[in-house]
Amino acid sequence: MRTVSHWINGTAVDPAADGRFAEVTNPATGKVTSRLALADAETAVAAIASARAAFPAWRDTSLTRRVQILFNFRELLNARKGELASIITAEHGKLLDDALGEIARGQEVVEFACGIPHLLKGGHTENASTKVDVHSIRQPLGVAAIISPFNFPAMVPMWFFPMAIASGNTVILKPSEKDPTAANWMAGLWKEAGLPDGVFTVLHGDKVAVDALLDSPDVSSVSFVGSTPIAQYVYERASATGKRVQALGGAKNHMLVLPDADLDLAADAAVNAGYGAAGERCMAISAIVAVESVADELVAKIAERTRGLRIGDGTRGTDMGPLITAAHRDKVAGYIDAGEADGATLVLDGRSPTPDAEGDGFFLNPTLFDHVDTDMSIYTDEIFGPVLSVLRVPGYDEGVELINNSPFGNGTAIFTNDGGAARRFENEIQVGMVGINVPIPVPMAYYSFGGWKNSLFGDTHAYGSEGVHFFTRGKVVTTRWLDPSHGGINLGFPQNS
């Protein structure tokens, strides 16, 4: 059986020393496809030491050279993204088109990071005092740890490592144990692009590896995406050791539908945002907040569209793939049981799937609940599966109040043709990312990604200008030169190197 091992100092290492392994499964078939080495404490120390040793030379590498390597990585990824998409589908289960879309959104951050010379420019003040000049610079932190989730094995790491590497940091990526191969594939691509050994490291493992990264004095920053309880744990433990931390937690994303909305557009958006990637997205819409006067019609339209969805293996042209593991499928099915027991109206029941797939995959059909109350577990908990809940409200004000009362504040959307209502919504809603007739408002790479309340621990969002600031720290230099000097004559055209 194929073994997925760590990538340390520019090469895949022998995993035998760790002695612990996990199984990697194709969720569409239920078959074990490889085994994954789980790092022990000694391997984690070696990975951190390699990244730490590579930092001084990479920090002092010119911006011109760093950007050349980033451009190389971009070109290689564009040429071979089909390979990466196939890896993602085989280990996560999402559709091939969805995997390609994930890669494209991650590639946006790579392209944004290619502009790092402009983003790292400081300011300069001449003659702040008599013959005294002042200028500012931004410098890298050191070793950046990235702990990424299973649902986006390429995109989420790419939210962080392009900015970290372009800024002069070295990176240790700890991917999910459930779909680890994409991380190694990207490590090999970085090497092919010319990245020096030790600048990009992949450390596989479980809590042993995570805690080693959180506790090590040689790790300067931690970027994490996952559930809220683990995000809070990562933030508190890493912050206690003086690290800079951005920990993106869970979500319960709402979509408010007003009576003047285009209900066909809203229904399409609800299905796309609720059931895409089997609901395993932190920006998935899981709660539809419908104004009562249009709720019946909207639910009927959503149900009509959902009944036509075809589930199965993501390589077969289906509409929705499997969930990531059998345990997670059973957990989501348990929420369907609970919603039915709590009295919600079960419009579509996904517990008896008939997938187009070989073997025993981890499938559920899309599930739709109506008349959901805010005290039901299908509403209060992040289910992370293809379960869509409809809550009914008398009007706009009650809808906003319901959303703002949620402990989560990751993403939200409003569907309306009333510009005044939309403007009020974006001003009054207490959520970090807002869509106006856009169900999944993931910001472009030149903005920044992150929520409010229990959806984010730490002060800095991912990528964009906030990402640059997260992976660097400022320095202000005050200068006085008493004696002029000059550098001699050279008539050649000036060049960067």
Side-chain angles (χ1 to χ4, degrees):
M1 182 178 294
R2 181 176 69 96
T3 298
V4 181
S5 58
H6 317 288
W7 182 277
I8 300 174
N9 204 31
T11 188
V13 301
D14 182 1
D18 295 300
R20 296 189 304 132
F21 297 90
E23 293 181 340
V24 180
T25 304
N26 183 331
T29 65
K31 295 179 180 178
V32 176
T33 57
S34 58
R35 66 173 192 164
L36 172 70
L38 300 176
D40 60 13
E42 185 177 348
T43 301
V45 168
I48 295 168
S50 172
R52 181 66 182 171
F55 171 63
W58 182 243
R59 173 195 60 202
D60 294 335
T61 298
S62 71
L63 283 172
T64 300
R65 178 58 183 152
R66 284 189 228 157
V67 170
Q68 287 172 346
I69 293 172
L70 248 72
F71 269 113
N72 291 344
F73 181 85
R74 176 196 181 276
E75 293 302 296
L76 289 169
L77 183 56
N78 276 342
R80 295 169 54 189
K81 59 189 175 185
E83 296 176 29
L84 181 56
S86 295
I87 290 169
I88 293 170
T89 296
E91 291 188 348
H92 175 275
K94 65 178 64 177
L95 310 183
L96 276 171
D97 284 348
D98 197 14
L100 286 168
E102 167 185 347
I103 295 165
R105 293 307 306 266
Q107 182 76 309
E108 291 174 7
V109 184
V110 177
E111 292 168 352
F112 178 75
C114 287
I116 202 72
H118 175 74
L119 300 170
L120 291 180
K121 285 193 307 185
H124 182 89
T125 300
E126 183 183 23
N127 226 34
S129 185
T130 304
K131 296 185 178 180
V132 174
D133 302 333
V134 179
H135 70 274
S136 62
I137 55 179
R138 299 204 66 85
Q139 295 182 318
L141 300 176
V143 178
I146 301 169
I147 304 167
S148 66
F150 73 83
N151 59 329
F152 289 101
M155 183 185 74
V156 167
M158 282 195 278
W159 282 355
F160 303 107
F161 67 63
M163 308 305 302
I165 290 172
S167 298
N169 302 275
T170 56
V171 165
I172 300 175
L173 171 59
K174 208 302 286 183
S176 170
E177 308 96 291
K178 298 178 179 67
D179 44 11
T181 303
N184 284 45
W185 188 92
M186 290 187 290
L189 209 68
W190 273 119
K191 187 175 182 68
E192 190 174 341
L195 193 70
D197 293 345
V199 177
F200 188 82
T201 297
V202 180
L203 180 68
H204 295 291
D206 48 17
K207 190 174 185 297
V208 173
V210 170
D211 286 349
L213 294 172
L214 302 184
D215 295 342
S216 172
D218 290 329
V219 174
S220 301
S221 68
V222 175
S223 301
F224 171 85
V225 178
S227 68
T228 288
I230 301 177
Q232 187 169 9
Y233 169 83
V234 167
Y235 176 74
E236 292 175 353
R237 185 156 181 165
S239 297
T241 57
K243 295 175 177 56
R244 189 174 291 186
V245 186
Q246 49 184 179
L248 283 64
K252 197 70 182 182
N253 302 318
H254 302 76
M255 188 175 100
L256 177 60
V257 182
L258 300 188
D260 66 300
D262 182 326
L263 295 187
D264 287 313
L265 176 65
D268 288 342
V271 172
N272 294 338
Y275 301 130
E280 294 174 328
R281 293 171 175 162
C282 66
M283 289 293 285
I285 291 294
S286 56
I288 305 296
V289 183
V291 173
E292 185 69 52
S293 61
V294 295
D296 286 343
E297 184 179 358
L298 178 63
V299 169
K301 288 179 179 292
I302 293 172
E304 178 186 8
R305 288 158 169 78
T306 303
R307 289 189 185 96
L309 296 180
R310 184 164 153 256
I311 68 166
D313 191 319
T315 65
R316 297 189 177 194
T318 53
D319 298 304
M320 193 184 86
L323 284 88
I324 187 68
T325 63
H328 186 57
R329 176 203 55 201
D330 295 344
K331 179 181 178 181
V332 174
Y335 275 109
I336 302 174
D337 296 340
E340 189 175 30
D342 287 341
T345 302
L346 185 55
V347 179
L348 296 175
D349 186 350
R351 289 171 293 187
S352 299
T354 54
D356 178 8
E358 296 179 359
D360 187 17
F362 314 133
F363 292 95
L364 285 174
N365 275 352
T367 296
L368 177 63
F369 279 104
D370 192 8
H371 300 285
V372 175
D373 293 330
T374 55
D375 60 350
M376 296 178 180
S377 64
I378 56 172
Y379 173 74
T380 59
D381 297 355
E382 184 181 28
I383 298 175
F384 225 59
V387 179
L388 192 58
S389 299
V390 178
L391 299 92
R392 297 176 177 229
V393 293
Y396 168 87
D397 290 328
E398 294 82 1
V400 169
E401 182 181 11
L402 186 152
I403 297 170
N404 283 345
N405 284 337
S406 172
F408 299 106
N410 206 45
T412 190
I414 184 171
F415 275 71
T416 179
N417 285 317
D418 184 336
R423 190 176 186 279
R424 278 190 63 192
F425 185 80
E426 67 177 83
N427 175 256
E428 296 171 352
I429 209 69
Q430 296 170 18
V431 176
M433 292 170 284
V434 180
I436 309 297
N437 297 317
V438 174
I440 305 179
V442 176
M444 298 295 290
Y446 38 85
Y447 286 90
S448 296
F449 181 102
W452 289 11
K453 298 186 280 190
N454 286 348
S455 294
L456 176 72
F457 297 88
D459 298 325
T460 307
H461 292 180
Y463 61 77
S465 60
E466 291 192 52
V468 177
H469 281 215
F470 179 79
F471 288 113
T472 59
R473 52 187 171 185
K475 182 182 289 184
V476 178
V477 181
T478 303
T479 305
R480 174 189 291 161
W481 294 108
L482 300 181
D483 298 313
S485 62
H486 63 275
I489 296 174
N490 183 346
L491 301 186
F493 192 83
Q495 300 180 45
N496 295 323
S497 61

